[in-house]
Amino acid sequence: MIQNRKIPRIVYLNLILLFLVLGVIFFPEIRDSLGHLTASTKPIAPRKQMQAVQLQNSFRSVYQIAQKSVVSIRTKKTETIHNPYHYFDSKEETVSAVGSGFLIDPRGFVVTNYHVIRSAEIIEIILHNGRVAPARFVGSHERADIALLKIQEGDDYEYASLGDSNEVEVGDWAIAVGSPYGLEKTFTVGVVSAKSREDLDETGQTHIQTDTAINPGSSGGPLLNIYGEVIGINRMIRSASGSSAGIGFAIPINYAKKVIKSIEMNVGKNIRPATLGVVATVPIQHHREALGIPNNEVGVLVYDIDPDSSAALGGLQRFDYIRMANGNVIRNTNELREQVSLAGLGGNLKLNIIRRSKIKDIEITLIEKKYYE
């Protein structure tokens, strides 16, 4: 009896696979067609852009973290608008403005620039999810240009991680997130252009310079490093047009931390600018020898005092050598200026000085200088 045996299906599949392999080997046009079908549709193969993709993913990660803590700040105030042709013809209008800020605490504390909320009658915080929360003024420091606000504690926001601005180096990545021209959660990237720009304005404080795009409305937002840490508070730009020209400045976060502590100790107040009323410098060797100041002593030498100033009324004298102010070592005039600024008008400045080769402590109350004709 003859048996009708069927050929297993696997044999047919193996034969088909064999013919395909032979076709690819002996017929190049078939190989090219198959290669085209399996090739990436991207103009540049991903394997050639590995480093760029890794950097791109780093930026994405920074944004995903930062955008949850960055807020938009909307302010409203009433202004009197005068008719330019009839001075006594005026009317009151409500004027709105937009700035940026960021959450620094799970209790709902928000940091921004003082000039963002100055004279505001209504302050509203727009969170990353679009929720609008009324904000309460906690305090501000006018010269440092920093303000602290408070919104109701909630579980629908995250707060920023504050970094160490002393570790910043020129060439580091610098990333800004804010609301330029009211465009919320705008993300811009650049580098640190300079670490310690001094004497840019009347504040006298140092700034981090960056070419990261900062525009009106970005003020008060964070300047971040590649790890998503806040290294500065975006404050101002240098531009002939009023728009970004690649020269922006941020308040170093280490200085901002000190200012925030000062604000927390003066809740409800705007800490106004104060001056000590001295002309000081780091002494040269001749001065050290003449005044008996040891070479290893860091500090600044007072060589002139403004009459009726805080320094004069507080007992500071010419040729006093200031070693410390409010417990902080003074290495140069900028550090002395910083301590005066932190104390603010009406604050106290505890100085440790060398006077005629003897170390002593004096306390000076920072008062408003009165000028007489």
Side-chain angles (χ1 to χ4, degrees):
M1 182 176 181
I2 299 174
Q3 296 181 349
N4 185 14
R5 295 182 178 180
K6 292 183 178 181
I7 299 174
R9 185 176 297 177
I10 187 67
V11 174
Y12 289 110
L13 293 175
N14 286 335
L15 288 172
I16 293 171
L17 183 60
L18 176 62
F19 282 121
L20 285 174
V21 171
L22 291 175
V24 169
I25 294 174
F26 294 105
F27 298 95
E29 60 274 12
I30 296 178
R31 183 170 68 246
D32 292 342
S33 297
L34 291 175
H36 177 72
L37 291 174
T38 58
S40 170
T41 57
K42 293 179 172 54
I44 302 175
R47 60 183 175 80
K48 293 183 179 180
Q49 295 286 44
M50 288 181 61
Q51 290 183 335
V53 170
Q54 288 174 352
L55 180 58
Q56 177 177 270
N57 289 337
S58 296
F59 290 144
R60 287 178 176 178
S61 297
V62 172
Y63 176 74
Q64 289 302 320
I65 292 174
Q67 60 97 15
K68 296 178 181 178
S69 63
V70 177
V71 301
S72 293
I73 299 177
R74 186 166 57 201
T75 64
K76 296 178 182 180
K77 63 180 178 179
T78 303
E79 288 188 353
T80 302
I81 308 299
H82 293 280
N83 187 321
Y85 303 104
H86 303 281
Y87 181 79
F88 294 103
D89 181 11
S90 62
K91 61 180 179 178
E92 291 188 344
E93 291 187 359
T94 300
V95 179
S96 299
V98 176
S100 304
F102 55 97
L103 288 149
I104 61 165
D105 189 281
R107 295 169 296 173
F109 287 101
V110 175
V111 169
T112 186
N113 286 142
Y114 169 69
H115 76 259
V116 170
I117 56 93
R118 180 175 49 218
S119 303
E121 297 165 359
I122 298 174
I123 305 173
E124 295 176 325
I125 303 295
I126 305 172
L127 300 169
H128 74 95
N129 57 8
R131 184 168 72 87
V132 179
R136 176 172 60 85
F137 173 79
V138 176
S140 59
H141 195 296
E142 190 171 329
R143 173 162 284 181
D145 198 14
I146 294 175
L148 189 63
L149 308 174
K150 175 77 166 61
I151 61 175
Q152 186 175 0
E153 187 173 349
D155 56 4
D156 58 346
Y157 58 76
E158 297 183 19
Y159 57 96
S161 175
L162 305 185
D164 184 354
S165 52
N166 289 340
E167 294 182 353
V168 170
E169 296 293 342
V170 174
D172 287 356
W173 287 110
I175 302 164
V177 183
S179 302
Y181 299 109
L183 301 173
E184 298 172 14
K185 294 190 285 189
T186 295
F187 183 90
T188 55
V189 178
V191 297
V192 173
S193 305
K195 291 176 60 175
S196 302
R197 287 294 186 208
E198 298 177 355
D199 300 323
L200 296 172
D201 60 6
E202 70 281 356
T203 67
Q205 64 193 37
T206 61
H207 290 75
I208 298 171
Q209 182 182 332
T210 179
D211 67 349
T212 306
I214 298 172
N215 282 293
S218 297
S219 292
L223 187 68
L224 307 159
N225 60 20
I226 198 63
Y227 307 108
E229 298 172 322
V230 180
I231 56 173
I233 303 173
N234 297 321
R235 179 170 180 254
M236 61 182 183
I237 60 176
R238 283 280 178 90
S239 169
S241 66
S243 299
S244 176
I247 306 176
F249 301 96
I251 304 166
I253 198 61
N254 285 12
Y255 176 63
K257 291 175 186 176
K258 299 175 184 177
V259 173
I260 292 168
K261 286 183 180 178
S262 180
I263 291 173
E264 290 174 342
M265 295 172 62
N266 295 272
V267 173
K269 297 181 180 179
N270 172 37
I271 302 173
R272 295 174 56 201
T275 58
L276 184 58
V278 301
V279 179
T281 185
V282 176
I284 61 176
Q285 186 60 34
H286 172 71
H287 291 153
R288 288 183 178 273
E289 293 173 356
L291 299 171
I293 303 171
N295 290 331
N296 61 345
E297 284 283 0
V298 295
V300 295
L301 179 67
V302 176
Y303 66 87
D304 199 8
I305 297 178
D306 190 8
D308 300 321
S309 65
S310 301
L313 298 177
L316 202 61
Q317 299 179 8
R318 289 189 68 195
F319 307 123
D320 281 347
Y321 187 73
I322 301 174
R323 301 170 67 242
M324 302 180 73
N326 285 349
N328 295 277
V329 175
I330 301 300
R331 288 178 287 266
N332 51 55
T333 54
N334 279 333
E335 291 186 350
L336 177 61
R337 184 186 300 160
E338 178 180 296
Q339 292 305 314
V340 172
S341 176
L342 288 172
L345 192 65
N348 293 325
L349 197 66
K350 297 178 181 179
L351 300 179
N352 180 264
I353 66 172
I354 297 177
R355 178 181 294 169
R356 290 186 284 275
S357 302
K358 293 182 179 180
I359 296 177
K360 64 178 300 182
D361 295 316
I362 63 173
E363 185 169 346
I364 296 173
T365 299
L366 298 173
I367 63 171
E368 191 166 9
K369 178 70 164 47
K370 292 181 173 60
Y371 295 92
Y372 302 95
E373 294 185 7

